[in-house]
Amino acid sequence: MLKSTIIGLLLSFFGVASAQEAEPPSYRALTTLFAEWRAFQVPQVANGIPDYSADAMAQKYRELPGWQKRLAAIDTSHWPIGLQVDWYIVWAEMNGYDFTDRVTRPWANDPAFYQWFYMWPTDVPEREGPNIHGAIELPNFHQPLSKTDASEIAARLRGIGRVYQQARKNLTGNGRDLWTYGARAIQGQSDELTAFAKSVAFSHPDLAKAALEAKAESDRFAVWLTGEASKKTGKSGVGKDNYTWNLHNVHLVPYTWNDHVLIMQRELARAHASLRLQEHRNRRLPGHAKIESAEEYDHRLNAAVTEYMQFLENEEIVTIKEYMDAALRARIGRFSPSTGLRGFFSEITYREPIMMRTHDYHWIDLARMREEPQRSPIRRVPLIENIFDSRAEGMATGMEEMMMHAGLLDSKPRARELVWVLLAQRAARALGGLYQHGLEMTIDEATKFASKWTPWGLLPADGETIQGEEHFYLQQPGYESSYISGKIQIERLIAEYARQREGKFILRNFMDEYNGAGIIPVSLIYWEMTGDRSMLEEAVGKR
């Protein structure tokens, strides 16, 4: 009964009933299958707790071939490219389910999978990494909290003990780094629960009590994890062959593990060489002056948003919508006093606020998903297994350098240095993640490598930024390289799209068409925008 209800709601949400007559009947079969597939992936829930036991997950996995057989039976040979793209999205999701169950198995190997409370929003369509079903995403609740929402959150927080009781049975992996850093992640959750309890103590005292109760359970779980971690002896990466299979069949990326290492090494060297040349060019200019007060922070961050939005409009980069400005201003944040280094990205922002506004294209993307929902029901919802990473992270990262080349920083020569600092950091941390999954480095070695190759000492190896990043990349193979790999795929798309127009390339037209395709793998957007399947075929072969 529950499953049929979920399927019905999903069919309604995905708009299957309103599919246009122009769409072939077999496409309606695909959208129906997709809705049922998404319902299937929801684990069985008992007493508010999802079941990730070995038996439950094994039973789910035994059913996967049936889903794949149903998908393969849908004839797409006469479909337009856009609908064929949707078929590949479903195919990739099923491959992702296969990879997760065969290789990463986070419910058994990754203690951080059991984080139950998230206080801060994510800047991509769905929270990065493997995450337990039912986790509390506080940003999804309207603020200030209503009594109804406060009661719901309190009830879910009080289920955390049952979650961790099950986790102690499910976690059987031997990857030392995943266990060690998983314990730290759960301890970090405890700190967030403490802060949350304090924030709602007056308005919702029962919720504050539930948060402190959850903190106590989280603390006990973290202590248990720390003790167990000391007994673990194995490596935590997935290996080069598994990594490449995941790139090709899940993320539809046309490169191998070895290709990614070469790409990241090249980008790291290019970033350092370009930085040193820019520093030489700027050698007679004053150095970077960091923001020093709350008033200066508010003024300069808001001014940066205004300047960036005006640049996008005046230079005809992309069609401007009202929600874009609001999306960027909502992420300005507040001034944070410090006598030492702040986090890496704050160090960039406090030197030149406009730099990270370009990367904040993330928030424009999310606002577009909300304000201009996709006609395709399959693209209307976030793709699972972080299959969106090459598009989401590649675009946000790509905008940093692309906007510099488009002229955004012509009057800010010192800001041009920051473009290369950012690229160097992304390449260095990506190599750390790649070496972890290639079983050539531990997480501590990866953090030291990334720190060594990030300019200006802005990324200390023992800092929260790189420690958290390299742990996440260990959890989600392929994500660490998506920032630069995705950027390079987008550059390749621009090249082919412009070549086909014989010198009549119009950037705004390209950007609007690109944005209109949704947050899906770049190889699929490449096919849809150019009619050329080559990038996809480099990943998955001819099918």
PDB file of all heavy atoms in Angstrom, residues 453-473:
ATOM      1  N   TRP A 453      50.668  22.004  -2.470  1.00  0.00           N
ATOM      2  CA  TRP A 453      50.532  22.553  -3.808  1.00  0.00           C
ATOM      3  C   TRP A 453      49.470  23.650  -3.920  1.00  0.00           C
ATOM      4  O   TRP A 453      49.148  24.082  -5.022  1.00  0.00           O
ATOM      5  CB  TRP A 453      50.250  21.425  -4.803  1.00  0.00           C
ATOM      6  CG  TRP A 453      51.496  20.647  -5.084  1.00  0.00           C
ATOM      7  CD1 TRP A 453      51.856  19.426  -4.591  1.00  0.00           C
ATOM      8  CD2 TRP A 453      52.576  21.071  -5.915  1.00  0.00           C
ATOM      9  NE1 TRP A 453      53.085  19.053  -5.065  1.00  0.00           N
ATOM     10  CE2 TRP A 453      53.554  20.047  -5.879  1.00  0.00           C
ATOM     11  CE3 TRP A 453      52.821  22.215  -6.680  1.00  0.00           C
ATOM     12  CZ2 TRP A 453      54.748  20.139  -6.595  1.00  0.00           C
ATOM     13  CZ3 TRP A 453      54.013  22.300  -7.392  1.00  0.00           C
ATOM     14  CH2 TRP A 453      54.957  21.270  -7.343  1.00  0.00           C
ATOM     15  N   THR A 454      48.961  24.112  -2.799  1.00  0.00           N
ATOM     16  CA  THR A 454      48.056  25.268  -2.814  1.00  0.00           C
ATOM     17  C   THR A 454      48.865  26.518  -2.481  1.00  0.00           C
ATOM     18  O   THR A 454      49.520  26.566  -1.442  1.00  0.00           O
ATOM     19  CB  THR A 454      46.912  25.089  -1.807  1.00  0.00           C
ATOM     20  OG1 THR A 454      46.117  23.967  -2.188  1.00  0.00           O
ATOM     21  CG2 THR A 454      46.027  26.328  -1.762  1.00  0.00           C
ATOM     22  N   PRO A 455      48.844  27.521  -3.354  1.00  0.00           N
ATOM     23  CA  PRO A 455      49.701  28.701  -3.156  1.00  0.00           C
ATOM     24  C   PRO A 455      49.392  29.480  -1.878  1.00  0.00           C
ATOM     25  O   PRO A 455      48.299  29.404  -1.321  1.00  0.00           O
ATOM     26  CB  PRO A 455      49.400  29.559  -4.400  1.00  0.00           C
ATOM     27  CG  PRO A 455      48.881  28.595  -5.420  1.00  0.00           C
ATOM     28  CD  PRO A 455      48.113  27.572  -4.629  1.00  0.00           C
ATOM     29  N   TRP A 456      50.384  30.218  -1.452  1.00  0.00           N
ATOM     30  CA  TRP A 456      50.286  31.233  -0.402  1.00  0.00           C
ATOM     31  C   TRP A 456      49.990  30.647   0.974  1.00  0.00           C
ATOM     32  O   TRP A 456      49.633  31.367   1.903  1.00  0.00           O
ATOM     33  CB  TRP A 456      49.223  32.278  -0.737  1.00  0.00           C
ATOM     34  CG  TRP A 456      49.410  33.015  -2.017  1.00  0.00           C
ATOM     35  CD1 TRP A 456      50.493  32.968  -2.873  1.00  0.00           C
ATOM     36  CD2 TRP A 456      48.493  33.942  -2.615  1.00  0.00           C
ATOM     37  NE1 TRP A 456      50.301  33.788  -3.946  1.00  0.00           N
ATOM     38  CE2 TRP A 456      49.085  34.405  -3.821  1.00  0.00           C
ATOM     39  CE3 TRP A 456      47.245  34.418  -2.258  1.00  0.00           C
ATOM     40  CZ2 TRP A 456      48.457  35.316  -4.664  1.00  0.00           C
ATOM     41  CZ3 TRP A 456      46.611  35.331  -3.092  1.00  0.00           C
ATOM     42  CH2 TRP A 456      47.209  35.774  -4.276  1.00  0.00           C
ATOM     43  N   GLY A 457      50.112  29.354   1.146  1.00  0.00           N
ATOM     44  CA  GLY A 457      49.872  28.750   2.453  1.00  0.00           C
ATOM     45  C   GLY A 457      48.446  28.863   2.930  1.00  0.00           C
ATOM     46  O   GLY A 457      48.181  28.813   4.141  1.00  0.00           O
ATOM     47  N   LEU A 458      47.494  28.972   1.996  1.00  0.00           N
ATOM     48  CA  LEU A 458      46.095  29.196   2.362  1.00  0.00           C
ATOM     49  C   LEU A 458      45.339  27.919   2.712  1.00  0.00           C
ATOM     50  O   LEU A 458      44.171  27.988   3.099  1.00  0.00           O
ATOM     51  CB  LEU A 458      45.356  29.913   1.220  1.00  0.00           C
ATOM     52  CG  LEU A 458      45.833  31.319   0.870  1.00  0.00           C
ATOM     53  CD1 LEU A 458      44.960  31.917  -0.222  1.00  0.00           C
ATOM     54  CD2 LEU A 458      45.830  32.213   2.109  1.00  0.00           C
ATOM     55  N   LEU A 459      45.983  26.754   2.581  1.00  0.00           N
ATOM     56  CA  LEU A 459      45.284  25.499   2.820  1.00  0.00           C
ATOM     57  C   LEU A 459      46.119  24.600   3.736  1.00  0.00           C
ATOM     58  O   LEU A 459      46.694  23.609   3.299  1.00  0.00           O
ATOM     59  CB  LEU A 459      45.010  24.788   1.490  1.00  0.00           C
ATOM     60  CG  LEU A 459      44.034  23.623   1.534  1.00  0.00           C
ATOM     61  CD1 LEU A 459      42.606  24.110   1.772  1.00  0.00           C
ATOM     62  CD2 LEU A 459      44.099  22.825   0.228  1.00  0.00           C
ATOM     63  N   PRO A 460      46.194  24.932   5.022  1.00  0.00           N
ATOM     64  CA  PRO A 460      46.987  24.100   5.939  1.00  0.00           C
ATOM     65  C   PRO A 460      46.449  22.675   5.994  1.00  0.00           C
ATOM     66  O   PRO A 460      45.234  22.456   5.986  1.00  0.00           O
ATOM     67  CB  PRO A 460      46.836  24.812   7.284  1.00  0.00           C
ATOM     68  CG  PRO A 460      45.632  25.679   7.146  1.00  0.00           C
ATOM     69  CD  PRO A 460      45.552  26.068   5.701  1.00  0.00           C
ATOM     70  N   ALA A 461      47.346  21.709   6.029  1.00  0.00           N
ATOM     71  CA  ALA A 461      46.955  20.296   5.965  1.00  0.00           C
ATOM     72  C   ALA A 461      46.084  19.878   7.132  1.00  0.00           C
ATOM     73  O   ALA A 461      45.283  18.940   7.013  1.00  0.00           O
ATOM     74  CB  ALA A 461      48.206  19.418   5.899  1.00  0.00           C
ATOM     75  N   ASP A 462      46.231  20.557   8.270  1.00  0.00           N
ATOM     76  CA  ASP A 462      45.424  20.194   9.435  1.00  0.00           C
ATOM     77  C   ASP A 462      44.174  21.054   9.564  1.00  0.00           C
ATOM     78  O   ASP A 462      43.472  20.992  10.580  1.00  0.00           O
ATOM     79  CB  ASP A 462      46.251  20.289  10.717  1.00  0.00           C
ATOM     80  CG  ASP A 462      46.815  21.683  10.951  1.00  0.00           C
ATOM     81  OD1 ASP A 462      46.660  22.562  10.072  1.00  0.00           O
ATOM     82  OD2 ASP A 462      47.422  21.908  12.023  1.00  0.00           O
ATOM     83  N   GLY A 463      43.870  21.839   8.541  1.00  0.00           N
ATOM     84  CA  GLY A 463      42.697  22.707   8.590  1.00  0.00           C
ATOM     85  C   GLY A 463      41.414  21.965   8.250  1.00  0.00           C
ATOM     86  O   GLY A 463      41.423  20.932   7.573  1.00  0.00           O
ATOM     87  N   GLU A 464      40.299  22.519   8.696  1.00  0.00           N
ATOM     88  CA  GLU A 464      39.008  21.865   8.474  1.00  0.00           C
ATOM     89  C   GLU A 464      38.652  21.774   6.998  1.00  0.00           C
ATOM     90  O   GLU A 464      38.021  20.806   6.567  1.00  0.00           O
ATOM     91  CB  GLU A 464      37.905  22.620   9.225  1.00  0.00           C
ATOM     92  CG  GLU A 464      37.989  22.503  10.741  1.00  0.00           C
ATOM     93  CD  GLU A 464      36.820  23.183  11.425  1.00  0.00           C
ATOM     94  OE1 GLU A 464      35.875  23.625  10.731  1.00  0.00           O
ATOM     95  OE2 GLU A 464      36.856  23.289  12.669  1.00  0.00           O
ATOM     96  N   THR A 465      39.067  22.770   6.201  1.00  0.00           N
ATOM     97  CA  THR A 465      38.666  22.772   4.791  1.00  0.00           C
ATOM     98  C   THR A 465      39.166  21.533   4.072  1.00  0.00           C
ATOM     99  O   THR A 465      38.380  20.747   3.527  1.00  0.00           O
ATOM    100  CB  THR A 465      39.184  24.030   4.077  1.00  0.00           C
ATOM    101  OG1 THR A 465      38.628  25.188   4.693  1.00  0.00           O
ATOM    102  CG2 THR A 465      38.779  24.009   2.599  1.00  0.00           C
ATOM    103  N   ILE A 466      40.479  21.324   4.056  1.00  0.00           N
ATOM    104  CA  ILE A 466      41.007  20.199   3.267  1.00  0.00           C
ATOM    105  C   ILE A 466      40.749  18.870   3.956  1.00  0.00           C
ATOM    106  O   ILE A 466      40.551  17.841   3.296  1.00  0.00           O
ATOM    107  CB  ILE A 466      42.517  20.391   2.970  1.00  0.00           C
ATOM    108  CG1 ILE A 466      42.969  19.376   1.915  1.00  0.00           C
ATOM    109  CG2 ILE A 466      43.340  20.287   4.249  1.00  0.00           C
ATOM    110  CD1 ILE A 466      42.200  19.446   0.607  1.00  0.00           C
ATOM    111  N   GLN A 467      40.713  18.847   5.283  1.00  0.00           N
ATOM    112  CA  GLN A 467      40.393  17.594   5.974  1.00  0.00           C
ATOM    113  C   GLN A 467      38.983  17.134   5.579  1.00  0.00           C
ATOM    114  O   GLN A 467      38.761  15.962   5.283  1.00  0.00           O
ATOM    115  CB  GLN A 467      40.469  17.801   7.486  1.00  0.00           C
ATOM    116  CG  GLN A 467      41.856  18.133   8.002  1.00  0.00           C
ATOM    117  CD  GLN A 467      42.628  16.915   8.479  1.00  0.00           C
ATOM    118  OE1 GLN A 467      42.044  15.977   8.995  1.00  0.00           O
ATOM    119  NE2 GLN A 467      43.930  16.939   8.314  1.00  0.00           N
ATOM    120  N   GLY A 468      38.042  18.068   5.588  1.00  0.00           N
ATOM    121  CA  GLY A 468      36.680  17.721   5.217  1.00  0.00           C
ATOM    122  C   GLY A 468      36.556  17.356   3.755  1.00  0.00           C
ATOM    123  O   GLY A 468      35.831  16.416   3.393  1.00  0.00           O
ATOM    124  N   GLU A 469      37.266  18.079   2.894  1.00  0.00           N
ATOM    125  CA  GLU A 469      37.176  17.807   1.459  1.00  0.00           C
ATOM    126  C   GLU A 469      37.734  16.441   1.108  1.00  0.00           C
ATOM    127  O   GLU A 469      37.094  15.662   0.378  1.00  0.00           O
ATOM    128  CB  GLU A 469      37.916  18.902   0.681  1.00  0.00           C
ATOM    129  CG  GLU A 469      37.171  20.226   0.661  1.00  0.00           C
ATOM    130  CD  GLU A 469      37.971  21.355   0.060  1.00  0.00           C
ATOM    131  OE1 GLU A 469      39.219  21.235  -0.003  1.00  0.00           O
ATOM    132  OE2 GLU A 469      37.354  22.356  -0.348  1.00  0.00           O
ATOM    133  N   GLU A 470      38.910  16.114   1.600  1.00  0.00           N
ATOM    134  CA  GLU A 470      39.504  14.829   1.239  1.00  0.00           C
ATOM    135  C   GLU A 470      38.712  13.661   1.830  1.00  0.00           C
ATOM    136  O   GLU A 470      38.644  12.576   1.232  1.00  0.00           O
ATOM    137  CB  GLU A 470      40.970  14.761   1.676  1.00  0.00           C
ATOM    138  CG  GLU A 470      41.888  15.703   0.916  1.00  0.00           C
ATOM    139  CD  GLU A 470      42.003  15.395  -0.580  1.00  0.00           C
ATOM    140  OE1 GLU A 470      41.544  14.333  -1.027  1.00  0.00           O
ATOM    141  OE2 GLU A 470      42.570  16.239  -1.304  1.00  0.00           O
ATOM    142  N   HIS A 471      38.079  13.872   2.970  1.00  0.00           N
ATOM    143  CA  HIS A 471      37.203  12.830   3.509  1.00  0.00           C
ATOM    144  C   HIS A 471      35.994  12.642   2.598  1.00  0.00           C
ATOM    145  O   HIS A 471      35.617  11.513   2.262  1.00  0.00           O
ATOM    146  CB  HIS A 471      36.740  13.198   4.923  1.00  0.00           C
ATOM    147  CG  HIS A 471      35.721  12.255   5.478  1.00  0.00           C
ATOM    148  ND1 HIS A 471      34.591  12.679   6.152  1.00  0.00           N
ATOM    149  CD2 HIS A 471      35.634  10.898   5.450  1.00  0.00           C
ATOM    150  CE1 HIS A 471      33.871  11.640   6.517  1.00  0.00           C
ATOM    151  NE2 HIS A 471      34.483  10.542   6.100  1.00  0.00           N
ATOM    152  N   PHE A 472      35.382  13.734   2.180  1.00  0.00           N
ATOM    153  CA  PHE A 472      34.224  13.623   1.298  1.00  0.00           C
ATOM    154  C   PHE A 472      34.588  12.945  -0.017  1.00  0.00           C
ATOM    155  O   PHE A 472      33.848  12.097  -0.528  1.00  0.00           O
ATOM    156  CB  PHE A 472      33.628  15.010   1.041  1.00  0.00           C
ATOM    157  CG  PHE A 472      32.700  15.050  -0.132  1.00  0.00           C
ATOM    158  CD1 PHE A 472      31.621  14.178  -0.214  1.00  0.00           C
ATOM    159  CD2 PHE A 472      32.916  15.945  -1.174  1.00  0.00           C
ATOM    160  CE1 PHE A 472      30.771  14.198  -1.322  1.00  0.00           C
ATOM    161  CE2 PHE A 472      32.066  15.962  -2.263  1.00  0.00           C
ATOM    162  CZ  PHE A 472      30.997  15.084  -2.342  1.00  0.00           C
ATOM    163  N   TYR A 473      35.747  13.290  -0.589  1.00  0.00           N
ATOM    164  CA  TYR A 473      36.152  12.683  -1.859  1.00  0.00           C
ATOM    165  C   TYR A 473      36.387  11.186  -1.705  1.00  0.00           C
ATOM    166  O   TYR A 473      36.186  10.414  -2.649  1.00  0.00           O
ATOM    167  CB  TYR A 473      37.401  13.375  -2.405  1.00  0.00           C
ATOM    168  CG  TYR A 473      37.215  14.850  -2.636  1.00  0.00           C
ATOM    169  CD1 TYR A 473      38.267  15.739  -2.497  1.00  0.00           C
ATOM    170  CD2 TYR A 473      35.965  15.377  -2.972  1.00  0.00           C
ATOM    171  CE1 TYR A 473      38.096  17.098  -2.703  1.00  0.00           C
ATOM    172  CE2 TYR A 473      35.777  16.730  -3.168  1.00  0.00           C
ATOM    173  CZ  TYR A 473      36.845  17.593  -3.032  1.00  0.00           C
ATOM    174  OH  TYR A 473      36.667  18.946  -3.217  1.00  0.00           O
TER     175      TYR A 473
END
